[in-house]
mmCIF file with all atom_site columns, all heavy atoms in Angstrom:
data_model
loop_
_atom_site.group_PDB
_atom_site.id
_atom_site.type_symbol
_atom_site.label_atom_id
_atom_site.label_alt_id
_atom_site.label_comp_id
_atom_site.label_asym_id
_atom_site.label_entity_id
_atom_site.label_seq_id
_atom_site.pdbx_PDB_ins_code
_atom_site.Cartn_x
_atom_site.Cartn_y
_atom_site.Cartn_z
_atom_site.occupancy
_atom_site.B_iso_or_equiv
_atom_site.pdbx_formal_charge
_atom_site.auth_seq_id
_atom_site.auth_comp_id
_atom_site.auth_asym_id
_atom_site.auth_atom_id
_atom_site.pdbx_PDB_model_num
ATOM 1   N N   . LYS A 1 360 ? 67.002 93.216  144.815 1.00 0.00 ? 360 LYS A N   1
ATOM 2   C CA  . LYS A 1 360 ? 66.203 92.062  144.793 1.00 0.00 ? 360 LYS A CA  1
ATOM 3   C C   . LYS A 1 360 ? 64.791 92.340  143.973 1.00 0.00 ? 360 LYS A C   1
ATOM 4   O O   . LYS A 1 360 ? 64.429 93.435  143.931 1.00 0.00 ? 360 LYS A O   1
ATOM 5   C CB  . LYS A 1 360 ? 65.853 91.438  146.100 1.00 0.00 ? 360 LYS A CB  1
ATOM 6   C CG  . LYS A 1 360 ? 67.022 91.212  146.884 1.00 0.00 ? 360 LYS A CG  1
ATOM 7   C CD  . LYS A 1 360 ? 68.071 90.279  146.315 1.00 0.00 ? 360 LYS A CD  1
ATOM 8   C CE  . LYS A 1 360 ? 69.337 90.090  147.271 1.00 0.00 ? 360 LYS A CE  1
ATOM 9   N NZ  . LYS A 1 360 ? 70.383 89.287  146.676 1.00 0.00 ? 360 LYS A NZ  1
ATOM 10  N N   . SER A 1 361 ? 64.279 91.277  143.461 1.00 0.00 ? 361 SER A N   1
ATOM 11  C CA  . SER A 1 361 ? 62.868 91.457  142.739 1.00 0.00 ? 361 SER A CA  1
ATOM 12  C C   . SER A 1 361 ? 61.877 92.157  143.690 1.00 0.00 ? 361 SER A C   1
ATOM 13  O O   . SER A 1 361 ? 61.749 91.839  144.700 1.00 0.00 ? 361 SER A O   1
ATOM 14  C CB  . SER A 1 361 ? 62.460 90.062  142.327 1.00 0.00 ? 361 SER A CB  1
ATOM 15  O OG  . SER A 1 361 ? 61.216 90.189  141.766 1.00 0.00 ? 361 SER A OG  1
ATOM 16  N N   . GLY A 1 362 ? 61.318 93.243  143.139 1.00 0.00 ? 362 GLY A N   1
ATOM 17  C CA  . GLY A 1 362 ? 60.301 93.963  143.868 1.00 0.00 ? 362 GLY A CA  1
ATOM 18  C C   . GLY A 1 362 ? 60.775 95.238  144.383 1.00 0.00 ? 362 GLY A C   1
ATOM 19  O O   . GLY A 1 362 ? 60.104 96.160  144.925 1.00 0.00 ? 362 GLY A O   1
ATOM 20  N N   . ASP A 1 363 ? 62.206 95.355  144.546 1.00 0.00 ? 363 ASP A N   1
ATOM 21  C CA  . ASP A 1 363 ? 62.794 96.574  145.169 1.00 0.00 ? 363 ASP A CA  1
ATOM 22  C C   . ASP A 1 363 ? 62.637 97.764  144.278 1.00 0.00 ? 363 ASP A C   1
ATOM 23  O O   . ASP A 1 363 ? 62.539 97.640  142.945 1.00 0.00 ? 363 ASP A O   1
ATOM 24  C CB  . ASP A 1 363 ? 64.335 96.417  145.314 1.00 0.00 ? 363 ASP A CB  1
ATOM 25  C CG  . ASP A 1 363 ? 64.792 95.564  146.544 1.00 0.00 ? 363 ASP A CG  1
ATOM 26  O OD1 . ASP A 1 363 ? 63.720 95.254  147.241 1.00 0.00 ? 363 ASP A OD1 1
ATOM 27  O OD2 . ASP A 1 363 ? 65.876 95.108  146.673 1.00 0.00 ? 363 ASP A OD2 1
ATOM 28  N N   . THR A 1 364 ? 62.334 98.875  144.885 1.00 0.00 ? 364 THR A N   1
ATOM 29  C CA  . THR A 1 364 ? 62.152 100.132 144.076 1.00 0.00 ? 364 THR A CA  1
ATOM 30  C C   . THR A 1 364 ? 63.357 101.030 144.266 1.00 0.00 ? 364 THR A C   1
ATOM 31  O O   . THR A 1 364 ? 63.973 101.163 145.267 1.00 0.00 ? 364 THR A O   1
ATOM 32  C CB  . THR A 1 364 ? 60.862 100.885 144.599 1.00 0.00 ? 364 THR A CB  1
ATOM 33  O OG1 . THR A 1 364 ? 60.984 101.132 145.972 1.00 0.00 ? 364 THR A OG1 1
ATOM 34  C CG2 . THR A 1 364 ? 59.720 99.909  144.272 1.00 0.00 ? 364 THR A CG2 1
ATOM 35  N N   . MET A 1 365 ? 63.615 101.792 143.275 1.00 0.00 ? 365 MET A N   1
ATOM 36  C CA  . MET A 1 365 ? 64.740 102.739 143.199 1.00 0.00 ? 365 MET A CA  1
ATOM 37  C C   . MET A 1 365 ? 64.324 104.157 142.867 1.00 0.00 ? 365 MET A C   1
ATOM 38  O O   . MET A 1 365 ? 63.746 104.276 141.806 1.00 0.00 ? 365 MET A O   1
ATOM 39  C CB  . MET A 1 365 ? 65.880 102.301 142.277 1.00 0.00 ? 365 MET A CB  1
ATOM 40  C CG  . MET A 1 365 ? 66.804 101.292 142.908 1.00 0.00 ? 365 MET A CG  1
ATOM 41  S SD  . MET A 1 365 ? 67.532 100.254 141.554 1.00 0.00 ? 365 MET A SD  1
ATOM 42  C CE  . MET A 1 365 ? 66.210 99.111  141.248 1.00 0.00 ? 365 MET A CE  1
ATOM 43  N N   . LEU A 1 366 ? 64.520 105.166 143.672 1.00 0.00 ? 366 LEU A N   1
ATOM 44  C CA  . LEU A 1 366 ? 64.149 106.561 143.252 1.00 0.00 ? 366 LEU A CA  1
ATOM 45  C C   . LEU A 1 366 ? 65.372 107.267 142.907 1.00 0.00 ? 366 LEU A C   1
ATOM 46  O O   . LEU A 1 366 ? 66.345 107.335 143.847 1.00 0.00 ? 366 LEU A O   1
ATOM 47  C CB  . LEU A 1 366 ? 63.382 107.265 144.496 1.00 0.00 ? 366 LEU A CB  1
ATOM 48  C CG  . LEU A 1 366 ? 62.965 108.709 144.109 1.00 0.00 ? 366 LEU A CG  1
ATOM 49  C CD1 . LEU A 1 366 ? 61.948 108.737 143.067 1.00 0.00 ? 366 LEU A CD1 1
ATOM 50  C CD2 . LEU A 1 366 ? 62.517 109.398 145.446 1.00 0.00 ? 366 LEU A CD2 1
ATOM 51  N N   . CYS A 1 367 ? 65.553 107.640 141.648 1.00 0.00 ? 367 CYS A N   1
ATOM 52  C CA  . CYS A 1 367 ? 66.710 108.307 141.269 1.00 0.00 ? 367 CYS A CA  1
ATOM 53  C C   . CYS A 1 367 ? 66.551 109.910 141.115 1.00 0.00 ? 367 CYS A C   1
ATOM 54  O O   . CYS A 1 367 ? 65.335 110.242 140.617 1.00 0.00 ? 367 CYS A O   1
ATOM 55  C CB  . CYS A 1 367 ? 67.161 107.783 139.882 1.00 0.00 ? 367 CYS A CB  1
ATOM 56  S SG  . CYS A 1 367 ? 67.343 106.026 139.866 1.00 0.00 ? 367 CYS A SG  1
ATOM 57  N N   . PHE A 1 368 ? 67.423 110.606 141.517 1.00 0.00 ? 368 PHE A N   1
ATOM 58  C CA  . PHE A 1 368 ? 67.265 112.051 141.519 1.00 0.00 ? 368 PHE A CA  1
ATOM 59  C C   . PHE A 1 368 ? 68.459 112.711 140.827 1.00 0.00 ? 368 PHE A C   1
ATOM 60  O O   . PHE A 1 368 ? 69.516 112.457 141.163 1.00 0.00 ? 368 PHE A O   1
ATOM 61  C CB  . PHE A 1 368 ? 67.283 112.597 143.019 1.00 0.00 ? 368 PHE A CB  1
ATOM 62  C CG  . PHE A 1 368 ? 67.444 114.156 143.137 1.00 0.00 ? 368 PHE A CG  1
ATOM 63  C CD1 . PHE A 1 368 ? 66.700 114.986 142.411 1.00 0.00 ? 368 PHE A CD1 1
ATOM 64  C CD2 . PHE A 1 368 ? 68.397 114.538 144.097 1.00 0.00 ? 368 PHE A CD2 1
ATOM 65  C CE1 . PHE A 1 368 ? 66.950 116.275 142.520 1.00 0.00 ? 368 PHE A CE1 1
ATOM 66  C CE2 . PHE A 1 368 ? 68.769 115.853 144.248 1.00 0.00 ? 368 PHE A CE2 1
ATOM 67  C CZ  . PHE A 1 368 ? 67.997 116.775 143.478 1.00 0.00 ? 368 PHE A CZ  1
ATOM 68  N N   . VAL A 1 369 ? 68.218 113.442 139.689 1.00 0.00 ? 369 VAL A N   1
ATOM 69  C CA  . VAL A 1 369 ? 69.369 114.026 138.867 1.00 0.00 ? 369 VAL A CA  1
ATOM 70  C C   . VAL A 1 369 ? 68.911 115.432 138.820 1.00 0.00 ? 369 VAL A C   1
ATOM 71  O O   . VAL A 1 369 ? 68.021 115.893 138.041 1.00 0.00 ? 369 VAL A O   1
ATOM 72  C CB  . VAL A 1 369 ? 69.414 113.408 137.597 1.00 0.00 ? 369 VAL A CB  1
ATOM 73  C CG1 . VAL A 1 369 ? 70.634 114.080 136.897 1.00 0.00 ? 369 VAL A CG1 1
ATOM 74  C CG2 . VAL A 1 369 ? 69.768 111.922 137.731 1.00 0.00 ? 369 VAL A CG2 1
ATOM 75  N N   . PRO A 1 370 ? 69.553 116.395 139.393 1.00 0.00 ? 370 PRO A N   1
ATOM 76  C CA  . PRO A 1 370 ? 69.316 117.869 139.271 1.00 0.00 ? 370 PRO A CA  1
ATOM 77  C C   . PRO A 1 370 ? 70.335 118.482 138.342 1.00 0.00 ? 370 PRO A C   1
ATOM 78  O O   . PRO A 1 370 ? 71.323 117.952 137.874 1.00 0.00 ? 370 PRO A O   1
ATOM 79  C CB  . PRO A 1 370 ? 69.515 118.402 140.599 1.00 0.00 ? 370 PRO A CB  1
ATOM 80  C CG  . PRO A 1 370 ? 70.643 117.618 141.279 1.00 0.00 ? 370 PRO A CG  1
ATOM 81  C CD  . PRO A 1 370 ? 70.522 116.171 140.648 1.00 0.00 ? 370 PRO A CD  1
ATOM 82  N N   . GLU A 1 371 ? 70.083 119.828 137.889 1.00 0.00 ? 371 GLU A N   1
ATOM 83  C CA  . GLU A 1 371 ? 71.041 120.458 137.037 1.00 0.00 ? 371 GLU A CA  1
ATOM 84  C C   . GLU A 1 371 ? 70.959 121.924 137.461 1.00 0.00 ? 371 GLU A C   1
ATOM 85  O O   . GLU A 1 371 ? 69.828 122.545 137.469 1.00 0.00 ? 371 GLU A O   1
ATOM 86  C CB  . GLU A 1 371 ? 70.771 120.149 135.630 1.00 0.00 ? 371 GLU A CB  1
ATOM 87  C CG  . GLU A 1 371 ? 71.681 121.028 134.679 1.00 0.00 ? 371 GLU A CG  1
ATOM 88  C CD  . GLU A 1 371 ? 71.325 120.719 133.206 1.00 0.00 ? 371 GLU A CD  1
ATOM 89  O OE1 . GLU A 1 371 ? 71.447 119.555 132.672 1.00 0.00 ? 371 GLU A OE1 1
ATOM 90  O OE2 . GLU A 1 371 ? 70.897 121.658 132.466 1.00 0.00 ? 371 GLU A OE2 1
ATOM 91  N N   . SER A 1 372 ? 72.118 122.534 137.604 1.00 0.00 ? 372 SER A N   1
ATOM 92  C CA  . SER A 1 372 ? 72.007 123.873 138.055 1.00 0.00 ? 372 SER A CA  1
ATOM 93  C C   . SER A 1 372 ? 72.102 124.787 136.803 1.00 0.00 ? 372 SER A C   1
ATOM 94  O O   . SER A 1 372 ? 72.063 126.143 136.996 1.00 0.00 ? 372 SER A O   1
ATOM 95  C CB  . SER A 1 372 ? 73.202 124.203 139.001 1.00 0.00 ? 372 SER A CB  1
ATOM 96  O OG  . SER A 1 372 ? 74.554 124.140 138.322 1.00 0.00 ? 372 SER A OG  1
ATOM 97  N N   . GLY A 1 373 ? 72.210 124.315 135.598 1.00 0.00 ? 373 GLY A N   1
ATOM 98  C CA  . GLY A 1 373 ? 72.413 125.141 134.303 1.00 0.00 ? 373 GLY A CA  1
ATOM 99  C C   . GLY A 1 373 ? 71.423 126.314 134.360 1.00 0.00 ? 373 GLY A C   1
ATOM 100 O O   . GLY A 1 373 ? 71.891 127.418 134.274 1.00 0.00 ? 373 GLY A O   1
ATOM 101 N N   . ARG A 1 374 ? 70.096 125.995 134.389 1.00 0.00 ? 374 ARG A N   1
ATOM 102 C CA  . ARG A 1 374 ? 69.187 127.027 134.645 1.00 0.00 ? 374 ARG A CA  1
ATOM 103 C C   . ARG A 1 374 ? 68.021 126.598 135.579 1.00 0.00 ? 374 ARG A C   1
ATOM 104 O O   . ARG A 1 374 ? 66.986 126.902 135.493 1.00 0.00 ? 374 ARG A O   1
ATOM 105 C CB  . ARG A 1 374 ? 68.645 127.536 133.287 1.00 0.00 ? 374 ARG A CB  1
ATOM 106 C CG  . ARG A 1 374 ? 67.852 128.901 133.465 1.00 0.00 ? 374 ARG A CG  1
ATOM 107 C CD  . ARG A 1 374 ? 67.953 129.749 132.168 1.00 0.00 ? 374 ARG A CD  1
ATOM 108 N NE  . ARG A 1 374 ? 67.213 130.994 132.364 1.00 0.00 ? 374 ARG A NE  1
ATOM 109 C CZ  . ARG A 1 374 ? 67.104 131.938 131.579 1.00 0.00 ? 374 ARG A CZ  1
ATOM 110 N NH1 . ARG A 1 374 ? 67.731 131.779 130.255 1.00 0.00 ? 374 ARG A NH1 1
ATOM 111 N NH2 . ARG A 1 374 ? 66.234 132.993 131.721 1.00 0.00 ? 374 ARG A NH2 1
ATOM 112 N N   . PHE A 1 375 ? 68.486 125.640 136.524 1.00 0.00 ? 375 PHE A N   1
ATOM 113 C CA  . PHE A 1 375 ? 67.669 125.018 137.509 1.00 0.00 ? 375 PHE A CA  1
ATOM 114 C C   . PHE A 1 375 ? 66.591 124.113 136.910 1.00 0.00 ? 375 PHE A C   1
ATOM 115 O O   . PHE A 1 375 ? 65.487 124.550 136.593 1.00 0.00 ? 375 PHE A O   1
ATOM 116 C CB  . PHE A 1 375 ? 67.179 126.084 138.424 1.00 0.00 ? 375 PHE A CB  1
ATOM 117 C CG  . PHE A 1 375 ? 68.233 126.782 139.269 1.00 0.00 ? 375 PHE A CG  1
ATOM 118 C CD1 . PHE A 1 375 ? 68.717 128.012 138.923 1.00 0.00 ? 375 PHE A CD1 1
ATOM 119 C CD2 . PHE A 1 375 ? 68.746 126.055 140.251 1.00 0.00 ? 375 PHE A CD2 1
ATOM 120 C CE1 . PHE A 1 375 ? 69.708 128.610 139.567 1.00 0.00 ? 375 PHE A CE1 1
ATOM 121 C CE2 . PHE A 1 375 ? 69.954 126.791 140.962 1.00 0.00 ? 375 PHE A CE2 1
ATOM 122 C CZ  . PHE A 1 375 ? 70.244 127.930 140.617 1.00 0.00 ? 375 PHE A CZ  1
ATOM 123 N N   . SER A 1 376 ? 66.971 122.951 136.721 1.00 0.00 ? 376 SER A N   1
ATOM 124 C CA  . SER A 1 376 ? 66.088 121.760 136.248 1.00 0.00 ? 376 SER A CA  1
ATOM 125 C C   . SER A 1 376 ? 66.226 120.600 137.271 1.00 0.00 ? 376 SER A C   1
ATOM 126 O O   . SER A 1 376 ? 67.242 120.585 137.871 1.00 0.00 ? 376 SER A O   1
ATOM 127 C CB  . SER A 1 376 ? 66.335 121.340 134.887 1.00 0.00 ? 376 SER A CB  1
ATOM 128 O OG  . SER A 1 376 ? 66.449 122.454 133.957 1.00 0.00 ? 376 SER A OG  1
ATOM 129 N N   . SER A 1 377 ? 65.229 119.713 137.170 1.00 0.00 ? 377 SER A N   1
ATOM 130 C CA  . SER A 1 377 ? 65.235 118.602 138.121 1.00 0.00 ? 377 SER A CA  1
ATOM 131 C C   . SER A 1 377 ? 64.635 117.405 137.427 1.00 0.00 ? 377 SER A C   1
ATOM 132 O O   . SER A 1 377 ? 63.834 117.471 136.440 1.00 0.00 ? 377 SER A O   1
ATOM 133 C CB  . SER A 1 377 ? 64.544 118.864 139.329 1.00 0.00 ? 377 SER A CB  1
ATOM 134 O OG  . SER A 1 377 ? 64.742 117.841 140.229 1.00 0.00 ? 377 SER A OG  1
ATOM 135 N N   . SER A 1 378 ? 65.056 116.191 137.800 1.00 0.00 ? 378 SER A N   1
ATOM 136 C CA  . SER A 1 378 ? 64.367 115.016 137.305 1.00 0.00 ? 378 SER A CA  1
ATOM 137 C C   . SER A 1 378 ? 64.441 113.937 138.423 1.00 0.00 ? 378 SER A C   1
ATOM 138 O O   . SER A 1 378 ? 65.283 113.833 139.243 1.00 0.00 ? 378 SER A O   1
ATOM 139 C CB  . SER A 1 378 ? 65.202 114.459 136.093 1.00 0.00 ? 378 SER A CB  1
ATOM 140 O OG  . SER A 1 378 ? 66.561 114.057 136.422 1.00 0.00 ? 378 SER A OG  1
#
Side-chain angles (χ1 to χ4, degrees):
K360 308 301 181 187
S361 177
D363 284 348
T364 59
M365 281 154 276
L366 181 65
C367 304
F368 164 55
V369 182
E371 178 180 299
S372 66
R374 197 150 175 177
F375 296 100
S376 303
S377 185
S378 61

